[in-house]
Structures are given as structure tokens and as C-alpha cells.
Amino acid sequence: AFCAAGPPPEGGRRVWAAFLSPAAGEALESWEALAATPEPAGFGEAVSRLSRGYLLPRLLFRRGQYVEAATAFSTQAVRAASAPDGGSAGAEGSKTRLLEERISALSLAATAAKAAGSDGAARLGADFIRAADEQAQLARLQLGVVLELERLGAADPAVPGSALAALAASKGVPASSLAADLASQAEAAAGSLLELTAVFKLAWDAQLWSASLAVLDFAAPHRAYPEYVDFALQQLLAPATADGAAPAPWSEVRAVVARLRKAHPTDYVFCLDTICALLERRALTEPPASGASGAVVSLLSPASGAVRPDVSWGGLYACYAGTHHCGRRMRALWEESPATQLHLLGSLVTLLRGWLEAARSSADEMRRLVSAARELAIAGDLDAHIVRLGGDLASSPSADLAPRLHTDLRDLRAALSALTRS
């Protein structure tokens, strides 16, 4: 009853505070002593938690009443924020504290439902655990967006070249007013659980591309939005720069790619066709400092160790084999000028050399390479490229590359043919 009663009246509050005071014995000797006892540190937070129903589900869980606990945790997670007599909703802790408590409550609701077993599932509904887990995951994404909005809102509007300044310029508004607006959005978003579309809109409108991709990845089992994924990847890997502004260095691009792969190991967000095309386009216009041919393949290949989990050699090959294997983005590159095609053939040479080296040191990779060589007709692909290198590509403005690539591809074709015959 105490845990479910809500904020205590003033007299009850005094008694409760006295019990929690370090000098509890003396404070309870008389009303005068009780009235003179100051509230202990953190007592306002304790009253606030009681008023928010924080204690009841935990008591039920401790008693083993898992179905009731799951229901109470779920109710606590969606309860509207309030400012009870025990203190305001944000009286102590960060502005995101209540949102963090909601996430905790949803996770505990799922934990309690699992502890309830099959009988609990029948009483709570077969979908209860999945729904609670999904709500908790979405709430974590919401928290990430709120923290990013807070960071932008707290930025100094006078600093040129900052993320806030770039966002303000793209929207055509003063940075100072945008900062205030973002801070207000963050505070409002921290107050309750939002629907998926609202979380995505907050992230997208603020040009939080990594957060937007995380929301799109979460939504993928229900509905895919490849055009939004494609656009967000472009903003992260090859954004347009203001006149005279230097593009991000390749070291920063490599770090972004590594983070993307770690966060999104599936093909939906980490779409090799899009990522290879964006990076190759950048390599054509802003070559890496090393100037090495095949820099993009070297970054993405399993041999580099730069991205984890590993990208498959076969998946990379599909991007660089030619127009008949790759997707829309890489096909557009392959259909460009002879100079671009020679650049991509240089990347193909780097890829096949790396794949052969990996296969020679791993029996599993050798089996995959031999299987791919047969299924994808890699020898036929190389024959077609070799013919073109001796024909129309030999007369291109970058024709000095053609003889070397011609020799390299002939050598690689011979090595692959020897493998498939063995």
C-alpha cells in the first residue's frame, strides 16, 4: 500500500524522512525533534520516485509476482511525467533521467515477463516480451537522438565551421536561434516515449545521419526505406562541401566506415554497392594521400582489418566485376569514362590479388574462392576486361595504365584457372 500510495502528506513525509535520517533515533523522540530534523540528502528524489510509481514494480518482482511486476513496469514506462509535491520531474539528475528510467522499466518488464514463464506468457499475452523489447530498443534510439540534440543545442553559435553552424547554414537560420530550438526539442523529446516516425523526424531534420541510419535499421523488419539509407550514407561519406572548404580527410572517412560496419553489419545499411561507389567517386576526385590504386578495396577487404565484421571477398567482387554483377550505384561508375573504368579495373586487380593471397593461407577461403570462380564465371569476366584493355580502353587518355592492367589481369586469370583445375 505504501509503494502504491503516491506522495505522502506533510506529516508522513516528516516521519519517513526522520526514519531515513542518520540521527533517526533522536529525531523520533518528540514532535519538536522530528520537526527540526532536516531532510537527508537525496530524500526529494526518493519522494519523487515514490510518486512516479518507481517502487511498486520492484517490490512485486522481489516477491516473485512476475506477471504483476511486468504489468507495473510497463505502466511505469508509459506514465506521463509529473511534478508531484515531492519535487519536480527533473528536480535532480539530468534532463534525460526520466527517459532513462522508462528504458529501464521496459527492460525490466521484459525480464519479469520472461521470469513468469509459460503461465505468465498466457496471462500477459504472447507478444508482451517482443513488444517490450522493441519499445526499449526504440527508446534507446530516442535517447541517443535527444543527447545529440542537447549537444548541438549547447554548442557555441559563434564558432564557425561547427556542426551547429553547418546545420544553421543549410536551413538558412541564425545559429543562435537554431541552438535554442534544438535545446527545446531535446527537452520536449526527453519527456515521453515517442513513436518511431517522431524519433526519425527529429534525427533527420537535425541532419543526425548516424542516428537516422540507426532508426532506419530498427524499422527495416517492418518497412525498408533504401532511398533514405542511400541519402544518409552519402551525407556521411561524400557530403557536399561549401565553396572553398576542404573535404574531410581520408582518415576521418575510414573511421566513419569502421563505425558504420560495426553498428550495421547487415547489407541493408552497410550496402557495399553504395559504399564502394561513394568511396570510389571520392577517390577519383580527392585521391588518398598514399595515391595507391585500389585504396577503397584495401580499406574494405577482410585483409585490412579496418572494418569488422569482415566484408566478404565475394561481396566485394560483385561490385568490381563489371556492370552485370554490381548494383545501381557501381553500374553508374562502370558506365562512365574510360578513365573511370581503368581506375575500377585497378581496384579489381588489388581485390583479386588480396583474395588469392587470403585463399593461399586459408583452406576455407580457398574453397570459397574456387566456388565463386566457377559460379560467377570470374575467368569469363577477366577475359572480357582483357579484350577491352587491348581494344577501346587502350586508346583512352589514361592509356598508359592499360598495358600494365592488361598484364596484371592475364596473370590473375592464369592463377585462377590453375586453382579451378586443381
Side-chain angles (χ1 to χ4, degrees):
F2 175 75
C3 290
E10 181 59 26
R13 179 184 175 114
R14 284 285 182 184
V15 173
W16 188 24
F19 270 113
L20 297 177
S21 170
E26 298 174 5
L28 294 171
E29 288 180 357
S30 66
W31 175 253
E32 291 75 13
L34 177 65
T37 301
E39 292 182 353
F43 183 69
E45 168 64 7
V47 173
S48 178
R49 288 190 170 194
L50 175 66
S51 304
R52 300 196 305 272
Y54 185 87
L55 302 180
L56 178 60
R58 287 159 176 79
L59 175 64
L60 294 171
F61 191 91
R62 277 183 168 271
R63 287 177 172 174
Q65 296 172 257
Y66 297 122
V67 172
E68 293 79 4
T71 303
F73 277 125
S74 183
T75 301
Q76 179 193 336
V78 300
R79 180 180 289 125
S82 60
D85 293 340
S88 67
E92 298 182 31
S94 70
K95 294 177 182 177
T96 59
R97 185 201 56 184
L98 288 182
L99 183 54
E100 291 164 358
E101 285 186 5
R102 294 180 194 278
I103 294 170
S104 175
L106 288 167
S107 298
L108 289 168
T111 299
K114 291 170 186 174
S118 56
D119 177 60
R123 293 170 60 188
L124 291 166
D127 213 33
F128 184 92
I129 294 174
R130 183 199 59 79
D133 283 336
E134 283 195 356
Q135 277 188 295
Q137 187 178 350
L138 177 58
R140 291 187 193 98
L141 295 175
Q142 178 182 337
L143 177 60
V145 172
V146 168
L147 292 173
E148 284 291 298
L149 291 174
E150 282 187 349
R151 179 184 61 79
L152 279 174
D156 185 351
V159 176
S162 65
L164 176 64
L167 180 60
S170 71
K171 293 180 176 293
V173 298
S176 56
S177 63
L178 178 61
D181 185 45
L182 291 171
S184 176
Q185 289 180 34
E187 185 170 359
S192 61
L193 296 177
L194 301 180
E195 295 293 331
L196 175 64
T197 52
V199 177
F200 177 70
K201 188 175 187 306
L202 279 174
W204 193 263
D205 289 351
Q207 298 179 14
L208 303 174
W209 305 121
S210 293
S212 296
L213 285 173
V215 178
L216 289 167
D217 205 5
F218 171 79
H222 307 287
R223 184 173 177 182
Y225 296 89
E227 67 280 7
Y228 284 98
V229 171
D230 195 70
F231 185 85
L233 287 174
Q234 180 165 340
Q235 303 315 304
L236 284 170
L237 298 176
T241 55
D243 293 340
W250 271 93
S251 58
E252 186 175 317
V253 174
R254 285 192 288 270
V256 171
V257 172
R259 288 196 297 270
L260 278 171
R261 182 62 177 175
K262 182 178 181 180
H264 309 287
T266 64
D267 293 339
Y268 174 58
V269 171
F270 200 87
C271 176
L272 271 180
D273 182 74
T274 300
I275 288 171
C276 287
L278 290 171
L279 294 179
E280 290 291 2
R281 173 76 65 192
R282 185 187 179 104
L284 284 162
T285 56
E286 295 286 340
S290 65
S293 175
V296 174
V297 167
S298 297
L299 166 64
L300 294 174
S301 76
S304 74
V307 294
R308 289 288 185 268
D310 286 341
V311 171
S312 73
W313 288 105
L316 270 180
Y317 177 78
C319 295
Y320 290 93
T323 55
H324 55 295
H325 283 310
C326 63
R328 174 180 60 87
R329 283 276 203 167
M330 282 298 288
R331 186 177 299 113
L333 274 183
W334 275 108
E335 292 172 349
E336 285 190 4
S337 66
T340 299
Q341 294 171 32
L342 288 170
H343 171 86
L344 294 177
L345 288 173
S347 295
L348 176 61
V349 168
T350 301
L351 189 157
L352 290 174
R353 282 175 174 166
W355 200 356
L356 278 166
E357 184 177 348
R360 291 183 182 115
S361 60
S362 166
D364 288 339
E365 195 59 57
M366 179 64 77
R367 282 191 291 271
R368 284 191 286 268
L369 174 55
V370 171
S371 175
R374 291 169 175 158
E375 292 176 6
L376 301 176
I378 293 178
D381 295 338
L382 297 184
D383 286 339
H385 293 314
I386 290 167
V387 169
R388 291 202 62 212
L389 285 167
D392 60 320
L393 290 180
S395 59
S396 73
S398 303
D400 56 315
L401 288 174
R404 176 173 59 81
L405 291 172
H406 187 275
T407 301
D408 289 342
L409 289 179
R410 284 178 64 88
D411 292 345
L412 288 165
R413 193 219 186 282
L416 283 168
S417 297
L419 287 180
T420 55
R421 286 197 302 268
S422 61

